[in-house]
Structures are given as structure tokens and as C-alpha cells.
Amino acid sequence: MPRQTKTKRAMKTLITFFEIPAADFNRAVNFYEQVLEMKLTRCECGDEKMAFFPDPEEGPRGAVSLAGGFNPAPGGVLVHFPCNDITASLDRVVTHGGSVVIPRTKIEVEGEGWFAVFSDSEGNRVGLHGK
């Protein structure tokens, strides 16, 4: 009987981080703390404010975010996908009809890597997280 080998999976999870936009930061943070019965950790990074959901042992992490140009809308949640090479992935975005919204940018928190945001072929904003 031939030996079966498992394909090594390149990603731990498909989604690495999500952001929920807020028009009124305190109201939004209170809403999620009340609805989900948990405490969010607040952080200010320049003009941006984020309140992080508790870090799960497994699965995606996320935050409520207040940032210029990131507005609540029915389609406003921003999902980040992991990738090994953000620059190469952004090149493929452009090649296949999308556009770069935020270029590869270092995350200020030590050890969290890099991110980028692109507009897909349909106009949806999607994030990348990695190197």
C-alpha cells in the first residue's frame, strides 16, 4: 500500500485580522463590549483609535477601528488574509484588475509584521497581513 503524505498547509488560519469601522468610537466599543460581554483593550496610534477584542487561542483577532476614510457601511468590515510576500501579492492584485489602496506598511506593534489593503476586482476592500 503506498504511503500517503499530507500536504503541508502554508497558513494557520485563512483570516488573520478583522477591523470593524466606527463613526463614534466610544459608542461602538461600548456596543461590542455590551453585546459580547467582554472587555476590549483600547489603543491610540496617532489619529487612529483601535479597541482590540480579546486574543483568542486560535482563530482570527480583530478590533473596532476609528480611522480617516474607514467608514461604517453595510460592507464596511475589513478582512485581512495572511500571505508570505505582500509585495508580490499586491503585484498580482494589479495584474488581475484590482488596485492598491494602502501599500505594504509596517505595523507599529513589535513583531506583528506588515499589512496592505487593496481593492479587488469588484471594488471590495481587502487586507493582507504578513511580510
Side-chain angles (χ1 to χ4, degrees):
M1 178 176 225
R3 190 176 88 174
Q4 294 181 354
T5 59
K6 291 184 180 180
T7 303
K8 189 173 184 177
R9 189 169 177 192
M11 301 177 266
K12 284 173 52 178
T13 61
L14 182 59
I15 298 170
T16 62
F17 192 76
F18 63 90
E19 293 179 54
I20 300 172
D24 180 320
F25 183 73
N26 291 324
R27 179 180 64 207
V29 172
N30 183 59
F31 172 83
Y32 283 100
E33 287 181 333
Q34 296 303 311
V35 169
L36 301 176
E37 297 181 315
M38 62 177 59
K39 184 75 176 156
L40 279 64
T41 304
R42 296 171 188 238
C43 172
E44 289 192 29
C45 303
D47 293 332
E48 293 187 19
K49 293 181 182 180
M50 298 181 94
F52 297 92
F53 291 93
D55 196 9
E57 296 212 11
E58 290 189 30
R61 297 178 297 158
V64 173
S65 298
L66 177 70
F70 189 47
N71 301 311
V77 174
L78 181 62
V79 176
H80 296 254
F81 294 100
C83 70
N84 293 323
D85 185 340
I86 291 176
T87 301
S89 295
L90 291 175
D91 289 344
R92 289 191 299 273
V93 163
V94 174
T95 298
H96 294 285
S99 62
V100 176
V101 176
I102 300 173
R104 182 177 177 265
T105 303
K106 183 161 180 47
I107 298 171
E108 292 182 28
V109 177
E110 184 63 34
E112 288 298 315
W114 299 76
F115 80 98
V117 176
F118 64 88
S119 181
D120 70 10
S121 61
E122 310 310 305
N124 297 301
R125 291 185 333 145
V126 180
L128 297 172
H129 178 244
K131 297 178 183 175

